[in-house]
Short mmCIF file of all heavy atoms in Angstrom, two decimals:
data_model
loop_
_atom_site.label_atom_id
_atom_site.label_comp_id
_atom_site.label_asym_id
_atom_site.label_seq_id
_atom_site.Cartn_x
_atom_site.Cartn_y
_atom_site.Cartn_z
N GLU I 30 -26.13 -8.12 29.50
CA GLU I 30 -25.79 -9.63 29.49
C GLU I 30 -24.36 -9.82 29.68
O GLU I 30 -23.83 -10.67 30.53
CB GLU I 30 -26.30 -10.28 28.21
CG GLU I 30 -27.72 -10.41 28.19
CD GLU I 30 -28.18 -11.00 26.69
OE1 GLU I 30 -27.33 -11.40 25.90
OE2 GLU I 30 -29.40 -10.92 26.43
N MET I 31 -23.48 -9.18 28.92
CA MET I 31 -22.04 -9.42 28.95
C MET I 31 -21.50 -9.01 30.32
O MET I 31 -20.53 -9.50 30.81
CB MET I 31 -21.44 -8.81 27.83
CG MET I 31 -21.74 -9.40 26.47
SD MET I 31 -21.15 -8.55 24.99
CE MET I 31 -19.40 -8.82 25.07
N LYS I 32 -22.01 -7.77 30.75
CA LYS I 32 -21.46 -7.33 32.12
C LYS I 32 -21.72 -8.30 33.20
O LYS I 32 -20.76 -8.58 34.11
CB LYS I 32 -22.22 -6.00 32.42
CG LYS I 32 -21.55 -5.27 33.63
CD LYS I 32 -22.06 -3.80 33.72
CE LYS I 32 -23.42 -3.67 34.39
NZ LYS I 32 -23.79 -2.35 34.72
N GLU I 33 -22.93 -8.87 33.10
CA GLU I 33 -23.17 -9.94 34.16
C GLU I 33 -22.15 -11.09 34.13
O GLU I 33 -21.79 -11.52 35.31
CB GLU I 33 -24.62 -10.62 33.66
CG GLU I 33 -25.26 -11.49 34.77
CD GLU I 33 -25.81 -10.84 35.91
OE1 GLU I 33 -26.09 -9.58 35.92
OE2 GLU I 33 -25.82 -11.50 37.04
N VAL I 34 -21.71 -11.48 33.02
CA VAL I 34 -20.79 -12.58 32.92
C VAL I 34 -19.33 -12.14 33.11
O VAL I 34 -18.52 -12.82 33.75
CB VAL I 34 -20.88 -13.33 31.54
CG1 VAL I 34 -19.94 -14.40 31.40
CG2 VAL I 34 -22.36 -13.75 31.35
N ASN I 35 -19.03 -10.96 32.58
CA ASN I 35 -17.50 -10.60 32.51
C ASN I 35 -17.06 -9.57 33.44
O ASN I 35 -15.88 -9.17 33.44
CB ASN I 35 -17.21 -10.12 31.08
CG ASN I 35 -17.50 -11.23 30.05
OD1 ASN I 35 -16.88 -12.33 30.24
ND2 ASN I 35 -18.32 -11.04 29.07
N TRP I 36 -17.93 -8.79 34.17
CA TRP I 36 -17.60 -7.70 34.90
C TRP I 36 -16.92 -8.07 36.21
O TRP I 36 -17.52 -8.12 37.29
CB TRP I 36 -18.82 -6.76 35.18
CG TRP I 36 -18.47 -5.39 35.65
CD1 TRP I 36 -17.33 -4.65 35.28
CD2 TRP I 36 -19.27 -4.56 36.42
NE1 TRP I 36 -17.47 -3.41 35.83
CE2 TRP I 36 -18.59 -3.30 36.53
CE3 TRP I 36 -20.49 -4.67 37.08
CZ2 TRP I 36 -19.08 -2.35 37.34
CZ3 TRP I 36 -20.95 -3.66 37.86
CH2 TRP I 36 -20.27 -2.45 38.00
N LEU I 37 -15.63 -8.41 36.12
CA LEU I 37 -14.93 -8.94 37.19
C LEU I 37 -14.57 -7.89 38.26
O LEU I 37 -14.50 -8.04 39.42
CB LEU I 37 -13.79 -9.73 36.79
CG LEU I 37 -14.10 -10.89 35.79
CD1 LEU I 37 -12.87 -11.66 35.39
CD2 LEU I 37 -15.10 -11.91 36.58
N ASP I 38 -14.04 -6.75 37.67
CA ASP I 38 -13.49 -5.64 38.63
C ASP I 38 -14.65 -4.61 38.77
O ASP I 38 -14.72 -3.71 37.92
CB ASP I 38 -12.23 -5.11 38.03
CG ASP I 38 -11.52 -4.09 38.90
OD1 ASP I 38 -12.20 -3.67 39.89
OD2 ASP I 38 -10.42 -3.59 38.63
N LYS I 39 -15.34 -4.66 39.81
CA LYS I 39 -16.52 -3.81 40.00
C LYS I 39 -16.01 -2.35 40.21
O LYS I 39 -16.95 -1.38 40.21
CB LYS I 39 -17.39 -4.26 41.10
CG LYS I 39 -17.85 -5.70 41.05
CD LYS I 39 -18.85 -5.90 39.94
CE LYS I 39 -19.57 -7.36 40.11
NZ LYS I 39 -19.29 -8.18 38.95
N THR I 40 -14.84 -2.06 40.48
CA THR I 40 -14.29 -0.75 40.66
C THR I 40 -14.09 0.00 39.36
O THR I 40 -14.00 1.28 39.26
CB THR I 40 -12.96 -0.68 41.37
OG1 THR I 40 -12.05 -1.26 40.68
CG2 THR I 40 -13.13 -1.45 42.74
N LYS I 41 -14.15 -0.67 38.26
CA LYS I 41 -14.02 -0.22 36.89
C LYS I 41 -15.25 -0.25 36.05
O LYS I 41 -16.07 -1.11 36.22
CB LYS I 41 -12.87 -0.82 36.21
CG LYS I 41 -11.46 -0.60 36.80
CD LYS I 41 -10.34 -1.32 36.02
CE LYS I 41 -9.00 -1.14 36.67
NZ LYS I 41 -8.00 -2.00 36.07
N PHE I 42 -15.34 0.79 35.14
CA PHE I 42 -16.45 0.72 34.23
C PHE I 42 -16.30 -0.55 33.31
O PHE I 42 -15.15 -0.77 32.88
CB PHE I 42 -16.45 2.01 33.30
CG PHE I 42 -17.55 2.07 32.38
CD1 PHE I 42 -18.80 2.38 32.72
CD2 PHE I 42 -17.32 1.75 31.08
CE1 PHE I 42 -19.84 2.50 31.86
CE2 PHE I 42 -18.31 1.79 30.10
CZ PHE I 42 -19.62 2.13 30.44
N TYR I 43 -17.31 -1.20 33.17
CA TYR I 43 -17.29 -2.32 32.27
C TYR I 43 -17.38 -1.93 30.73
O TYR I 43 -18.49 -1.37 30.37
CB TYR I 43 -18.38 -3.39 32.56
CG TYR I 43 -18.35 -4.52 31.55
CD1 TYR I 43 -17.30 -5.41 31.44
CD2 TYR I 43 -19.37 -4.66 30.65
CE1 TYR I 43 -17.29 -6.40 30.59
CE2 TYR I 43 -19.35 -5.67 29.64
CZ TYR I 43 -18.27 -6.53 29.59
OH TYR I 43 -18.23 -7.46 28.60
N ASP I 44 -16.52 -2.28 29.96
CA ASP I 44 -16.56 -1.88 28.50
C ASP I 44 -16.38 -3.27 27.74
O ASP I 44 -15.28 -3.88 27.79
CB ASP I 44 -15.40 -0.89 28.16
CG ASP I 44 -15.47 -0.68 26.60
OD1 ASP I 44 -16.41 -1.03 25.96
OD2 ASP I 44 -14.55 -0.04 26.16
N PRO I 45 -17.33 -3.72 26.95
CA PRO I 45 -17.21 -4.94 26.20
C PRO I 45 -16.07 -4.90 25.26
O PRO I 45 -15.50 -5.90 24.88
CB PRO I 45 -18.55 -5.12 25.49
CG PRO I 45 -19.15 -3.81 25.55
CD PRO I 45 -18.71 -3.06 26.80
N GLY I 46 -15.74 -3.62 24.87
CA GLY I 46 -14.53 -3.47 23.90
C GLY I 46 -13.26 -3.99 24.54
O GLY I 46 -12.37 -4.44 23.83
N ASN I 47 -13.16 -3.99 25.84
CA ASN I 47 -11.97 -4.58 26.58
C ASN I 47 -11.97 -6.07 26.50
O ASN I 47 -10.98 -6.67 26.84
CB ASN I 47 -11.93 -4.09 28.01
CG ASN I 47 -11.54 -2.57 28.05
OD1 ASN I 47 -10.93 -2.09 27.15
ND2 ASN I 47 -12.02 -1.96 29.15
N HIS I 48 -13.09 -6.66 26.19
CA HIS I 48 -13.16 -8.23 26.11
C HIS I 48 -13.34 -8.60 24.60
O HIS I 48 -13.96 -9.62 24.34
CB HIS I 48 -14.38 -8.65 26.89
CG HIS I 48 -14.23 -8.29 28.36
ND1 HIS I 48 -13.69 -9.31 29.28
CD2 HIS I 48 -14.42 -7.28 29.12
CE1 HIS I 48 -13.65 -8.71 30.44
NE2 HIS I 48 -14.10 -7.49 30.42
N TRP I 49 -12.86 -7.77 23.70
CA TRP I 49 -12.99 -8.07 22.28
C TRP I 49 -12.52 -9.38 21.81
O TRP I 49 -13.04 -9.85 20.88
CB TRP I 49 -12.39 -6.82 21.51
CG TRP I 49 -10.86 -6.78 21.60
CD1 TRP I 49 -10.12 -6.42 22.73
CD2 TRP I 49 -9.97 -6.98 20.55
NE1 TRP I 49 -8.81 -6.40 22.42
CE2 TRP I 49 -8.60 -6.90 21.12
CE3 TRP I 49 -10.02 -7.42 19.30
CZ2 TRP I 49 -7.52 -7.01 20.46
CZ3 TRP I 49 -8.88 -7.60 18.55
CH2 TRP I 49 -7.57 -7.44 19.13
N LEU I 50 -11.57 -9.90 22.62
CA LEU I 50 -11.09 -11.22 22.09
C LEU I 50 -12.03 -12.35 22.36
O LEU I 50 -11.89 -13.50 21.85
CB LEU I 50 -9.75 -11.50 22.78
CG LEU I 50 -8.53 -10.70 22.24
CD1 LEU I 50 -7.37 -10.92 23.13
CD2 LEU I 50 -8.21 -11.16 20.76
N ASN I 51 -12.93 -12.14 23.19
CA ASN I 51 -13.92 -13.21 23.61
C ASN I 51 -15.20 -13.38 22.80
O ASN I 51 -15.99 -14.21 23.02
CB ASN I 51 -14.34 -12.90 25.05
CG ASN I 51 -13.17 -13.04 26.04
OD1 ASN I 51 -12.18 -13.62 25.68
ND2 ASN I 51 -13.26 -12.41 27.19
N PHE I 52 -15.39 -12.42 21.84
CA PHE I 52 -16.56 -12.54 21.10
C PHE I 52 -16.41 -11.89 19.67
O PHE I 52 -15.53 -11.11 19.51
CB PHE I 52 -17.85 -11.93 21.76
CG PHE I 52 -17.87 -10.42 21.81
CD1 PHE I 52 -18.63 -9.67 21.12
CD2 PHE I 52 -17.06 -9.79 22.83
CE1 PHE I 52 -18.62 -8.25 21.12
CE2 PHE I 52 -16.96 -8.43 22.86
CZ PHE I 52 -17.72 -7.64 22.04
N ASN I 53 -17.30 -12.23 18.75
CA ASN I 53 -17.27 -11.58 17.47
C ASN I 53 -18.75 -11.12 17.26
O ASN I 53 -19.71 -12.00 17.16
CB ASN I 53 -16.92 -12.61 16.37
CG ASN I 53 -16.71 -11.84 15.10
OD1 ASN I 53 -17.29 -10.79 14.83
ND2 ASN I 53 -15.91 -12.47 14.18
N ILE I 54 -18.92 -9.83 17.22
CA ILE I 54 -20.25 -9.32 17.12
C ILE I 54 -21.07 -9.81 15.89
O ILE I 54 -22.33 -9.79 15.92
CB ILE I 54 -20.23 -7.76 17.18
CG1 ILE I 54 -21.56 -7.16 17.64
CG2 ILE I 54 -19.75 -7.10 15.89
CD1 ILE I 54 -21.61 -5.74 17.99
N PHE I 55 -20.36 -10.15 14.89
CA PHE I 55 -21.04 -10.64 13.66
C PHE I 55 -21.62 -12.02 13.83
O PHE I 55 -22.29 -12.55 12.92
CB PHE I 55 -20.11 -10.51 12.45
CG PHE I 55 -19.74 -9.06 12.20
CD1 PHE I 55 -18.44 -8.59 12.48
CD2 PHE I 55 -20.65 -8.13 11.79
CE1 PHE I 55 -18.15 -7.30 12.28
CE2 PHE I 55 -20.34 -6.78 11.55
CZ PHE I 55 -19.09 -6.30 11.83
N HIS I 56 -21.41 -12.67 15.03
CA HIS I 56 -22.19 -13.73 15.36
C HIS I 56 -23.51 -13.53 15.93
O HIS I 56 -24.32 -14.38 16.25
CB HIS I 56 -21.42 -14.67 16.35
CG HIS I 56 -20.35 -15.53 15.83
ND1 HIS I 56 -20.56 -16.44 14.76
CD2 HIS I 56 -19.01 -15.69 16.10
CE1 HIS I 56 -19.55 -17.09 14.49
NE2 HIS I 56 -18.58 -16.61 15.25
N PHE I 57 -23.81 -12.17 16.29
CA PHE I 57 -25.05 -11.82 16.94
C PHE I 57 -26.06 -11.82 15.84
O PHE I 57 -25.94 -11.40 14.64
CB PHE I 57 -24.98 -10.43 17.52
CG PHE I 57 -24.03 -10.28 18.69
CD1 PHE I 57 -23.36 -11.45 19.23
CD2 PHE I 57 -23.98 -9.14 19.39
CE1 PHE I 57 -22.59 -11.29 20.26
CE2 PHE I 57 -23.12 -8.92 20.46
CZ PHE I 57 -22.41 -10.08 20.97
N TYR I 58 -27.29 -12.18 16.28
CA TYR I 58 -28.45 -12.28 15.31
C TYR I 58 -29.29 -10.97 15.31
O TYR I 58 -30.31 -10.90 16.02
CB TYR I 58 -29.34 -13.47 15.53
CG TYR I 58 -28.54 -14.68 15.73
CD1 TYR I 58 -29.01 -15.56 16.80
CD2 TYR I 58 -27.44 -15.00 15.10
CE1 TYR I 58 -28.18 -16.79 17.03
CE2 TYR I 58 -26.72 -16.16 15.36
CZ TYR I 58 -27.12 -17.04 16.27
OH TYR I 58 -26.42 -18.25 16.59
N ASN I 59 -28.79 -9.97 14.63
CA ASN I 59 -29.47 -8.67 14.59
C ASN I 59 -29.41 -8.06 13.24
O ASN I 59 -28.33 -8.13 12.54
CB ASN I 59 -28.74 -7.71 15.63
CG ASN I 59 -29.32 -6.36 15.58
OD1 ASN I 59 -28.89 -5.55 14.69
ND2 ASN I 59 -30.23 -6.06 16.40
N GLU I 60 -30.50 -7.60 12.78
CA GLU I 60 -30.53 -7.07 11.32
C GLU I 60 -29.60 -5.96 11.07
O GLU I 60 -28.97 -5.97 9.96
CB GLU I 60 -32.03 -6.64 11.12
CG GLU I 60 -32.31 -6.28 9.66
CD GLU I 60 -33.81 -6.02 9.36
OE1 GLU I 60 -34.63 -6.52 10.21
OE2 GLU I 60 -34.09 -5.35 8.42
N GLY I 61 -29.53 -5.08 12.00
CA GLY I 61 -28.56 -3.90 11.78
C GLY I 61 -27.19 -4.34 11.66
O GLY I 61 -26.36 -3.75 10.84
N ILE I 62 -26.73 -5.38 12.51
CA ILE I 62 -25.41 -5.83 12.43
C ILE I 62 -25.09 -6.66 11.17
O ILE I 62 -24.08 -6.50 10.58
CB ILE I 62 -25.09 -6.78 13.72
CG1 ILE I 62 -25.05 -5.67 14.89
CG2 ILE I 62 -23.70 -7.33 13.68
CD1 ILE I 62 -25.19 -6.50 16.32
N TYR I 63 -26.08 -7.34 10.76
CA TYR I 63 -25.99 -8.01 9.48
C TYR I 63 -25.85 -7.06 8.35
O TYR I 63 -25.04 -7.27 7.44
CB TYR I 63 -27.36 -8.85 9.19
CG TYR I 63 -27.32 -9.84 8.16
CD1 TYR I 63 -27.16 -11.26 8.35
CD2 TYR I 63 -27.44 -9.56 6.84
CE1 TYR I 63 -27.03 -12.16 7.33
CE2 TYR I 63 -27.48 -10.38 5.79
CZ TYR I 63 -27.28 -11.79 6.07
OH TYR I 63 -27.27 -12.66 5.07
N ASN I 64 -26.64 -6.02 8.35
CA ASN I 64 -26.58 -4.98 7.31
C ASN I 64 -25.08 -4.40 7.18
O ASN I 64 -24.54 -4.06 6.22
CB ASN I 64 -27.58 -3.91 7.48
CG ASN I 64 -28.96 -4.40 7.32
OD1 ASN I 64 -29.18 -5.37 6.57
ND2 ASN I 64 -29.90 -3.63 7.87
N LEU I 65 -24.58 -4.22 8.50
CA LEU I 65 -23.23 -3.61 8.67
C LEU I 65 -22.18 -4.50 8.04
O LEU I 65 -21.27 -4.02 7.32
CB LEU I 65 -22.89 -3.30 10.06
CG LEU I 65 -21.52 -2.90 10.47
CD1 LEU I 65 -21.24 -1.52 9.72
CD2 LEU I 65 -21.34 -2.72 11.94
N HIS I 66 -22.30 -5.84 8.24
CA HIS I 66 -21.34 -6.84 7.70
C HIS I 66 -21.31 -6.72 6.20
O HIS I 66 -20.21 -6.71 5.55
CB HIS I 66 -21.80 -8.24 8.21
CG HIS I 66 -20.93 -9.37 7.64
ND1 HIS I 66 -21.16 -9.97 6.51
CD2 HIS I 66 -19.88 -9.90 8.16
CE1 HIS I 66 -20.30 -10.92 6.26
NE2 HIS I 66 -19.39 -10.97 7.31
N LYS I 67 -22.58 -6.64 5.63
CA LYS I 67 -22.58 -6.49 4.13
C LYS I 67 -22.00 -5.14 3.61
O LYS I 67 -21.28 -5.17 2.69
CB LYS I 67 -24.07 -6.56 3.73
CG LYS I 67 -24.32 -6.79 2.32
CD LYS I 67 -25.77 -6.92 2.05
CE LYS I 67 -26.12 -6.92 0.58
NZ LYS I 67 -27.54 -7.00 0.29
N ALA I 68 -22.26 -4.10 4.40
CA ALA I 68 -21.67 -2.77 4.05
C ALA I 68 -20.19 -2.77 4.09
O ALA I 68 -19.52 -2.13 3.22
CB ALA I 68 -22.32 -1.70 4.94
N ILE I 69 -19.68 -3.44 5.12
CA ILE I 69 -18.17 -3.44 5.27
C ILE I 69 -17.52 -4.26 4.21
O ILE I 69 -16.44 -3.96 3.66
CB ILE I 69 -17.79 -4.07 6.71
CG1 ILE I 69 -18.36 -3.15 7.83
CG2 ILE I 69 -16.31 -4.22 6.81
CD1 ILE I 69 -18.23 -3.76 9.23
N LYS I 70 -18.21 -5.27 3.71
CA LYS I 70 -17.74 -6.01 2.61
C LYS I 70 -17.56 -5.18 1.36
O LYS I 70 -16.57 -5.15 0.67
CB LYS I 70 -18.62 -7.28 2.34
CG LYS I 70 -18.13 -8.20 1.27
CD LYS I 70 -19.02 -9.48 1.19
CE LYS I 70 -18.42 -10.45 0.21
NZ LYS I 70 -19.09 -11.74 0.21
N ASN I 71 -18.61 -4.42 1.14
CA ASN I 71 -18.57 -3.53 -0.04
C ASN I 71 -17.46 -2.42 0.15
O ASN I 71 -16.83 -2.00 -0.81
CB ASN I 71 -19.91 -2.86 -0.32
CG ASN I 71 -20.90 -3.85 -0.77
OD1 ASN I 71 -20.54 -4.96 -1.36
ND2 ASN I 71 -22.16 -3.60 -0.51
N LEU I 72 -17.38 -1.97 1.37
CA LEU I 72 -16.31 -0.85 1.59
C LEU I 72 -14.91 -1.52 1.40
O LEU I 72 -14.02 -0.83 0.84
CB LEU I 72 -16.38 -0.44 3.07
CG LEU I 72 -17.21 0.77 3.44
CD1 LEU I 72 -16.88 1.20 4.92
CD2 LEU I 72 -16.92 1.86 2.49
N THR I 73 -14.67 -2.71 1.83
CA THR I 73 -13.44 -3.35 1.66
C THR I 73 -13.07 -3.59 0.11
O THR I 73 -11.98 -3.43 -0.22
CB THR I 73 -13.37 -4.69 2.42
OG1 THR I 73 -13.81 -4.48 3.74
CG2 THR I 73 -12.02 -5.28 2.54
N LYS I 74 -14.11 -4.02 -0.63
CA LYS I 74 -13.89 -4.07 -2.12
C LYS I 74 -13.57 -2.72 -2.61
O LYS I 74 -12.61 -2.66 -3.48
CB LYS I 74 -15.27 -4.55 -2.71
CG LYS I 74 -15.59 -5.97 -2.56
CD LYS I 74 -16.88 -6.38 -3.24
CE LYS I 74 -17.23 -7.85 -3.02
NZ LYS I 74 -18.48 -8.18 -3.52
N GLU I 75 -14.15 -1.72 -2.12
CA GLU I 75 -13.76 -0.32 -2.67
C GLU I 75 -12.40 0.04 -2.29
O GLU I 75 -11.63 0.52 -3.14
CB GLU I 75 -14.82 0.64 -2.00
CG GLU I 75 -14.66 2.07 -2.54
CD GLU I 75 -15.63 3.04 -1.81
OE1 GLU I 75 -16.64 2.63 -1.22
OE2 GLU I 75 -15.19 4.24 -1.74
N ALA I 76 -11.99 -0.32 -1.06
CA ALA I 76 -10.64 -0.03 -0.59
C ALA I 76 -9.60 -0.82 -1.39
O ALA I 76 -8.49 -0.38 -1.83
CB ALA I 76 -10.50 -0.29 0.87
N CYS I 77 -9.94 -2.10 -1.75
CA CYS I 77 -9.05 -2.84 -2.46
C CYS I 77 -8.82 -2.38 -3.90
O CYS I 77 -7.73 -2.36 -4.48
CB CYS I 77 -9.58 -4.40 -2.55
SG CYS I 77 -9.27 -5.31 -1.04
N GLU I 78 -9.91 -1.84 -4.38
CA GLU I 78 -9.82 -1.22 -5.77
C GLU I 78 -8.82 -0.05 -5.68
O GLU I 78 -7.98 0.15 -6.61
CB GLU I 78 -11.14 -0.79 -6.25
CG GLU I 78 -11.35 -0.63 -7.73
CD GLU I 78 -12.74 -0.44 -8.17
OE1 GLU I 78 -13.65 -0.89 -7.51
OE2 GLU I 78 -12.85 0.25 -9.21
N TYR I 79 -8.99 0.77 -4.62
CA TYR I 79 -8.14 1.97 -4.56
C TYR I 79 -6.66 1.55 -4.41
O TYR I 79 -5.83 2.19 -4.93
CB TYR I 79 -8.62 2.75 -3.30
CG TYR I 79 -7.79 3.98 -3.00
CD1 TYR I 79 -7.97 5.12 -3.72
CD2 TYR I 79 -6.86 4.00 -2.01
CE1 TYR I 79 -7.26 6.29 -3.38
CE2 TYR I 79 -6.14 5.18 -1.72
CZ TYR I 79 -6.30 6.30 -2.44
OH TYR I 79 -5.66 7.38 -2.13
#
Side-chain angles (χ1 to χ4, degrees):
Chain I
E30 284 174 11
M31 291 172 71
K32 188 165 85 169
E33 185 74 23
V34 177
N35 298 305
W36 197 28
L37 302 178
D38 185 351
K39 307 286 193 245
T40 64
K41 291 180 180 170
F42 179 81
Y43 173 70
D44 177 13
N47 289 333
H48 296 265
W49 64 291
L50 286 170
N51 297 336
F52 70 103
N53 187 337
I54 199 167
F55 297 107
H56 278 306
F57 291 1
Y58 314 139
N59 175 276
E60 190 173 338
I62 295 169
Y63 190 99
N64 293 339
L65 176 61
H66 179 270
K67 190 175 173 185
I69 295 168
K70 184 172 185 172
N71 289 334
L72 269 190
T73 308
K74 283 180 180 173
E75 189 185 332
C77 281
E78 200 173 333
Y79 179 78

